[in-house]
Amino acid sequence: MDSRRTVREIRGCKGKKKLVVLTCYDYPMARILDRCEIDIILVGDSLGNVVLGYGSTLPVTMDDMIHHARAVMRARPRAFVVFDLPFGSFQSSVEAAVENAIRAIKETSADAVKLEGGKRNHETIRRLVEMGIPVMGHVGLTPQSVLGMSGYHVQGRGAAGEALLEEAKGLEAAGCFAIVLESIPASLGGRVTRELAIPTIGIGAGPECDGQVLVLHDMLGLYDDLRPKFVKRFAEIGESVEAAVRAYKNEVEDGSFPGKEHSFGEGRG
């Protein structure tokens, strides 16, 4: 990849290439993800949990999101970067949503915004798309609705699957270029994927989705407060960090660090 990915490229992957998506919140990780040629970087409001230490995504603000999105964009990623609109930034009115989406794009140079929810967002999505702001949808388990959903539960089982399918179709009709499907039965994830012309990005939605996303800190083993079933730990970086910190502590306490090789003499060099 020699240049930034585009909406047209992302949509063109439907049925041809699985889209690889990860969350990211800072400059060094964005550099690593870009070296790995990740297709889409989501600056997710999950930073509330895995970076800021909140118990949910609800306290995350626009200022928080802009701060982290700017850090990601300083890495000049070739990946397509999506800015996750946080709770309270788009629900109150179409006008508020438009204002915050404009701010997200102007202040960070992200490529698109993402918002959670179905029918209630149709007018907002249409307005943003008309203005030239690409929108990624998100249905199924929507963490910003955790209070109304009474926790983090699988969505779309049984008869509820038909309603979720219609929600996804409605988001496509409103103008979304892609949709995140979270925590739904694998069979439903496959059905939604087959019936939409735009890519589906699964997170706990089965293998038939057009792409997959995970929270970076979950898949690296850096976050233990929640361990969803759909997360595969591809590394245990948290354990490695703890071992390194303990080794550093021991060497400082016993005087072996810093050694001669880490110290400056009177001469040059």
Side-chain angles (χ1 to χ4, degrees):
M1 296 184 296
D2 297 324
S3 60
R4 294 279 292 278
R5 303 297 297 271
T6 66
V7 169
R8 178 178 293 182
E9 288 179 284
I10 299 301
R11 292 190 61 150
C13 290
K14 177 81 176 183
K16 299 176 182 176
K17 176 197 177 301
K18 291 284 189 177
L19 290 163
V20 183
V21 189
L22 282 170
T23 65
C24 189
Y25 320 101
D26 58 45
Y27 174 85
M29 285 297 188
R31 292 281 302 273
I32 293 172
L33 266 55
D34 210 47
R35 289 200 296 269
C36 295
E37 298 188 351
I38 296 300
D39 295 308
I40 300 174
I41 290 175
L42 171 62
V43 186
D45 64 355
S46 49
L47 73 88
N49 302 88
V50 302
V51 176
L52 302 180
Y54 296 128
S56 73
T57 64
L58 299 182
V60 177
T61 66
M62 278 295 294
D63 286 343
D64 292 332
M65 294 300 305
I66 287 171
H67 175 83
H68 287 272
R70 283 174 170 170
V72 168
M73 296 306 295
R74 289 187 193 109
R76 301 180 65 185
R78 292 164 293 179
F80 189 87
V81 179
V82 179
F83 182 108
D84 204 1
L85 290 172
F87 177 71
S89 67
F90 64 91
Q91 290 93 341
S92 61
S93 68
V94 173
E95 290 71 26
V98 168
E99 181 179 347
N100 283 312
I102 290 173
R103 185 183 174 202
I105 300 300
K106 284 180 67 70
E107 296 188 26
T108 72
S109 298
D111 299 299
V113 298
K114 182 177 79 67
L115 43 78
E116 295 183 7
K119 186 175 181 180
R120 67 176 183 268
N121 293 324
H122 289 182
E123 184 180 352
T124 295
I125 294 165
R126 284 191 288 267
R127 284 275 296 278
L128 293 177
V129 172
E130 287 172 359
M131 295 170 58
I133 299 177
V135 180
M136 177 180 283
H138 184 157
V139 294
L141 172 60
T142 48
Q144 292 178 14
S145 302
V146 63
L147 298 180
M149 290 181 170
S150 300
Y152 301 98
H153 306 294
V154 175
Q155 303 295 307
R157 283 179 166 153
E162 292 296 329
L164 191 144
L165 174 60
E166 291 307 309
E167 275 199 336
K169 288 181 176 180
L171 292 177
E172 178 181 32
C176 287
F177 72 91
I179 297 178
V180 172
L181 304 176
E182 181 168 357
S183 295
I184 65 174
S187 58
L188 179 59
R191 184 181 175 194
V192 174
T193 299
R194 290 189 296 273
E195 296 199 23
L196 295 186
I198 60 175
T200 59
I201 310 298
I203 177 166
E208 294 185 68
C209 295
D210 296 302
Q212 298 291 331
V213 59
L214 283 177
V215 172
L216 185 64
H217 290 57
D218 287 343
M219 60 88 73
L220 290 178
L222 285 168
Y223 181 73
D224 279 323
D225 290 9
L226 291 172
R227 298 190 70 165
K229 179 181 179 179
F230 56 75
V231 172
K232 178 177 179 179
R233 303 282 277 260
F234 286 82
E236 293 293 346
I237 303 300
E239 293 179 4
S240 297
V241 172
E242 183 174 345
V245 171
R246 291 186 184 278
Y248 167 74
K249 175 177 181 289
N250 291 338
E251 291 194 18
V252 170
E253 289 178 343
D254 67 20
S256 59
F257 178 83
K260 185 178 181 180
E261 67 273 28
H262 305 115
S263 304
F264 297 102
E266 292 294 333
R268 299 178 64 184

